[in-house]
Amino acid sequence: MNQHPLCHVAGLGQALPGAPISNAELIRRYGLESTPEWIETRTGIRQRFFVGPGETTATLAAAAAQQALVQAKLAPSQVGAVVVATCTPDYTFPSVATLVQAALGLPVGIPALDVNAACSGFIAALSVAQGWFATQPGLEAVLVIGAETFSNVLDFTDRSTCVLFGDGAGAMVLRRNRPGQTNGLLALAQGADGRQAGLLHSAHGVARGRVAGTVQMDGAAVFKHAVRQMGDQAQVAALLAQSGHTLADLAWLVPHQANARILAAAGEALGLAAERVVMTVAEHANTSAASIPLALATAQQQGQFQPGELVLLQAFGAGFTWGMASLRW
Ligand code: UT7
């Protein structure tokens, strides 16, 4: 049983570009046949942020990381590795992580790489970080970032998808635990079902048309799969059991912010009161791999997590892919 986590959250940061764009403004800007009420009642989304000139996934990632380092009281020179979860990178290569490394002046020679598991990418990035802590005894601190600019892959003539997504980045500094320290990352689980790739995908890619395609989604089908996967009590119970916990011990659910109705259903299925489910989808919309660290940073700013509380992170996204992580705060 894992009662001694390898690492803990030492700092969180977030970056949201420009001014918020309300539902009404989005509808007006793109001439959508929709209403602010439809968007808010069907998704919970009230606004989103889109990058402007000169802003990219890497600039957002670097800004969020800088904040997280300040909170962790860590200098860039003390970072031992950086991993970025994104499916909207600046370039096909090099990775966003290497751009962040250069922008922040992180040490030359440290590992820096991206992972792509779409909306569940942040959990994948956490598992990469966990693996580094497990295999590199000298490693003291890792930057884990989720960053996306989905506005670059939205089809603004498709009202069923373009209203759902936003841009942003969230960052977490993980530090190695001292002997006996009991807070931190307890357990992780991930999965995928590639047979469902067609239900939520980008229409092109470098090897399929030499351009990044826009988002295509069968929303109703994705909705059902997301609710079933995120509300799967047995999988959550198995994860929590790894650290000797049960569902009753859970203080907070921090889900991927896709749709308020999906999040409410997931919380209910796990027996959590609505106020124990962190919801930022109204303010941020769906920021894919950035949504969990953004939600964590927001909840922490609002003073929501108390030391010792058990927190479950849960994500579902294109692939399909999914993942969970439990933390003792
Ligand atoms: O990160 C993981 C990936 N994303 C998700 O998890 C999203 C999952 N899916 C959803 O959130 C929801 O399925 C949507 C928000 C996409 C759609 O909500 P819904 O309650 O499933 O709507 P619906 O599919 O039952 O209704 C669709 C109707 C259609 O009209 P008809 O065919 O019934 O006449 C759409 O054309 O709503 C229409 N519609 C809209 N109407 C006004 C779709 N988008 C809009 C819109 N404004 N923006």
Side-chain angles (χ1 to χ4, degrees), residues 4 27 40 57 86 186 235 305 310:
H4 297 289
I27 289 166
E40 188 165 348
T57 300
T86 186
L186 294 169
Q235 282 194 34
F305 305 137
L310 190 63

Side-chain angles (χ1 to χ4, degrees), residues 20-42:
I21 301 164
S22 69
N23 292 338
E25 167 63 11
L26 188 79
I27 289 166
R28 194 197 56 74
R29 202 184 273 190
Y30 296 102
L32 300 173
E33 254 184 67
S34 186
T35 62
E37 295 71 35
W38 190 95
I39 300 171
E40 188 165 348
T41 52
R42 305 309 288 167

Side-chain angles (χ1 to χ4, degrees), residues 14-23 26 29-30 45-52 55 60 148-152 154 156 162-169 280-287 294 298:
Q14 57 175 303
L16 293 160
I21 301 164
S22 69
N23 292 338
L26 188 79
R29 202 184 273 190
Y30 296 102
I45 295 164
R46 286 199 291 269
Q47 61 176 46
R48 75 283 294 137
F49 296 80
F50 289 159
V51 284
E55 290 172 315
L60 294 179
E148 304 276 17
T149 51
F150 251 69
S151 60
N152 289 312
L154 291 178
F156 286 104
C162 74
V163 303
L164 303 176
F165 295 90
D167 301 342
T280 52
V281 69
E283 291 76 32
H284 303 158
N286 181 346
T287 59
L294 270 171
T298 304

Side-chain angles (χ1 to χ4, degrees), residues 68-306:
L69 287 173
V70 169
Q71 197 185 91
K73 298 187 175 63
L74 213 66
S77 60
Q78 293 172 285
V79 174
V82 55
V83 56
V84 178
T86 186
C87 55
T88 51
D90 290 39
Y91 305 106
T92 302
F93 59 85
S95 65
V96 172
T98 57
L99 302 179
V100 170
Q101 179 190 21
L104 296 186
L106 306 182
V108 171
I110 66 168
L113 53 89
D114 292 358
V115 295
N116 176 357
C119 294
S120 62
F122 192 74
I123 306 293
L126 282 178
S127 79
V128 170
Q130 172 88 333
W132 280 331
F133 278 113
T135 54
Q136 299 180 30
L139 184 67
E140 281 299 322
V142 176
L143 255 176
V144 187
I145 304 168
E148 304 276 17
T149 51
F150 251 69
S151 60
N152 289 312
V153 290
L154 291 178
D155 174 356
F156 286 104
T157 65
D158 177 7
R159 67 178 184 177
S160 69
T161 52
C162 74
V163 303
L164 303 176
F165 295 90
D167 301 342
M172 176 186 277
V173 172
L174 286 174
R175 292 205 70 164
R176 182 178 290 285
N177 277 359
R178 305 274 76 92
Q181 195 170 347
T182 55
N183 62 319
L185 191 53
L186 294 169
L188 284 150
Q190 290 161 267
D193 179 0
R195 296 171 306 174
Q196 314 292 349
L199 293 177
L200 173 51
H201 64 111
S202 89
H204 297 286
V206 285
R208 299 249 185 191
R210 311 190 96 186
V211 285
T214 52
V215 175
Q216 318 282 311
M217 177 167 70
D218 179 340
V222 175
F223 192 103
K224 282 186 207 122
H225 281 277
V227 168
R228 195 179 315 134
Q229 180 60 38
M230 291 175 72
D232 187 336
Q233 271 205 14
Q235 282 194 34
V236 175
L239 183 92
L240 298 181
Q242 288 184 42
S243 53
H245 293 100
T246 68
L247 281 164
D249 297 319
L250 208 50
W252 295 99
L253 174 64
V254 186
H256 164 55
Q257 306 285 314
N259 179 322
R261 288 153 54 213
I262 296 176
L263 312 193
E268 236 168 76
L270 300 181
L272 281 174
E275 62 271 19
R276 292 275 150 186
V277 181
V278 173
M279 286 243 200
T280 52
V281 69
E283 291 76 32
H284 303 158
N286 181 346
T287 59
S288 190
S291 88
I292 287 179
L294 270 171
L296 278 170
T298 304
Q300 188 207 38
Q301 260 174 13
Q302 294 167 353
Q304 285 186 314
F305 305 137
Q306 298 308 313

